[in-house]
Amino acid sequence: MKLFFRKLFVLFFVLFISIPIEAQDFQGKAYYMSKTDVDMSNFGRPDMSEDQKKRMAERLKSMFEKTYILSFNKIESIYKVEEQLEAPTAGRGGGFSNIMSGAIDGIKYKNVKSNQFLSEHELFGKLFLIKEDLQKMEWKMTGETKQIGSYTCFKATTIKTWQDFDISSLRRPPNRDENKADENKQPEPVTPKKVEVVAWYTMQIPVSQGPGDFWGLPGLILEVNTDKTTILCTKIVLNPSEKFTIKPPSKGKVVSKEEYVEIATEKYKEMRENFRRGGGGRR
């Protein structure tokens, strides 16, 4: 009898929380904080002082720790960096900061009904629009739960095939002989790598959306942990008073993910060479 009433309570609970989600004009906004651990051995010059390394670490931290907003409805979402007023960055990274932030931060659009994924990226002032299908994720439910704010979340894991440009190509070789040999070296093809993903989602918001290109669970994803990156939801606003419209991005040169990876990798290599010839980008 107790088991019967427990199942009945769960049924009523799910029906109760699903009522606002079924509305045709249902909308919501989720705010995420992203943090990435950076291997400092892949950046800078071998002769950098500890103070210089510390300043570069702080610069990288400001580029990799950002707040994002996921605006979503039942089938669509837009994920982008929260707009904030920032202090002038002149003399604090120049082209290095621009290429890093431009390559990482881009508007991402997902449509789980049409299986469409669009992503905007700006690289050296040029805008690209990557068009591809949503990558299907084979999630495995673990049965584990935890509380994130006022939401009960369930754990799911998957293995994601990740293809991106190699940031370690910015690493400066330790001596001039390696510099000379490296100049004549042909770019190596970018090999997709497999990364374990741990996600926490809540059935209290039963939409198949999440931050970045993560999706495919029976509830909104509130936390994602990958190899070196953690994305955590810090605030949720359901049915905000100010309604918004989700529009797919349409600006930029249309490319595939493979084409963009090749272009971005070459740009990184060019920037690395400029850093070498200009003494760290000061010229």
Side-chain angles (χ1 to χ4, degrees), residues 88-150:
T89 57
R92 296 178 55 194
F96 178 79
S97 298
N98 293 336
I99 182 67
M100 291 294 291
S101 60
I104 295 172
D105 302 327
I107 295 175
K108 298 180 185 293
Y109 168 86
K110 296 194 295 290
N111 187 313
V112 298
K113 186 176 182 180
S114 63
N115 201 41
Q116 186 180 33
F117 182 63
L118 304 174
S119 181
E120 279 187 358
H121 293 274
E122 185 176 344
L123 199 61
F124 279 129
K126 186 171 184 178
L127 190 63
F128 294 88
L129 180 62
I130 300 174
K131 284 189 175 184
E132 56 184 327
D133 293 335
L134 278 172
Q135 182 181 347
K136 186 177 180 181
M137 296 182 174
E138 300 294 338
W139 293 104
K140 293 182 180 180
M141 311 302 183
T142 67
E144 298 178 58
T145 64
K146 76 172 182 178
Q147 203 76 9
I148 298 180
S150 59

Side-chain angles (χ1 to χ4, degrees), residues 18 22-23 32 39 48 51 55 58 61 65 85 95 117 141 147 167 185 210 231 246 258 268-269 272 277:
S18 299
E22 293 301 320
Y32 295 86
D39 182 4
M48 287 180 64
D51 186 55
R55 290 201 302 269
E58 289 298 319
K61 180 180 178 181
E65 293 187 4
L85 292 176
F117 182 63
M141 311 302 183
Q147 203 76 9
I167 296 180
K185 186 179 179 181
I231 306 174
I246 296 178
E258 292 76 15
Y268 266 77
K269 291 180 182 296
R272 181 190 60 186
R277 299 188 184 100

Side-chain angles (χ1 to χ4, degrees), residues 207-221:
V207 295
S208 188
Q209 295 287 352
D213 51 357
F214 298 103
W215 71 292
L217 287 166
L220 181 65
I221 299 173

Side-chain angles (χ1 to χ4, degrees), residues 104-282:
I104 295 172
D105 302 327
I107 295 175
K108 298 180 185 293
Y109 168 86
K110 296 194 295 290
N111 187 313
V112 298
K113 186 176 182 180
S114 63
N115 201 41
Q116 186 180 33
F117 182 63
L118 304 174
S119 181
E120 279 187 358
H121 293 274
E122 185 176 344
L123 199 61
F124 279 129
K126 186 171 184 178
L127 190 63
F128 294 88
L129 180 62
I130 300 174
K131 284 189 175 184
E132 56 184 327
D133 293 335
L134 278 172
Q135 182 181 347
K136 186 177 180 181
M137 296 182 174
E138 300 294 338
W139 293 104
K140 293 182 180 180
M141 311 302 183
T142 67
E144 298 178 58
T145 64
K146 76 172 182 178
Q147 203 76 9
I148 298 180
S150 59
Y151 295 93
T152 299
C153 295
F154 300 85
K155 183 180 179 181
T157 64
T158 189
I159 301 297
K160 178 177 172 61
T161 301
W162 211 291
Q163 183 176 9
D164 214 334
F165 45 85
D166 184 10
I167 296 180
S168 64
S169 64
L170 284 175
R171 186 173 184 175
R172 185 184 180 95
N175 58 56
R176 292 184 178 180
D177 291 335
E178 291 186 18
N179 254 347
K180 185 178 295 184
D182 189 70
E183 287 177 359
N184 300 321
K185 186 179 179 181
Q186 294 298 319
E188 296 181 0
V190 179
T191 304
K193 62 180 180 179
K194 296 184 182 297
V195 179
E196 182 182 19
V197 178
V198 176
W200 295 88
Y201 68 96
T202 177
M203 295 283 288
Q204 293 171 253
I205 308 177
V207 295
S208 188
Q209 295 287 352
D213 51 357
F214 298 103
W215 71 292
L217 287 166
L220 181 65
I221 299 173
L222 300 190
E223 182 178 336
V224 173
N225 295 285
T226 60
D227 184 25
K228 296 179 181 180
T229 300
T230 297
I231 306 174
L232 178 64
C233 183
T234 58
K235 183 175 73 171
I236 296 176
V237 179
L238 297 179
N239 291 319
S241 56
E242 293 186 12
K243 299 298 180 181
F244 56 85
T245 302
I246 296 178
K247 294 182 179 180
S250 58
K251 298 180 180 180
K253 180 181 179 180
V254 178
V255 294
S256 66
K257 182 62 178 291
E258 292 76 15
E259 290 172 331
Y260 178 75
V261 167
E262 184 178 350
I263 294 170
T265 301
E266 287 303 313
K267 290 296 183 182
Y268 266 77
K269 291 180 182 296
E270 289 177 15
M271 187 180 68
R272 181 190 60 186
E273 295 305 315
N274 291 336
F275 265 54
R276 291 177 186 170
R277 299 188 184 100
R282 287 190 294 272

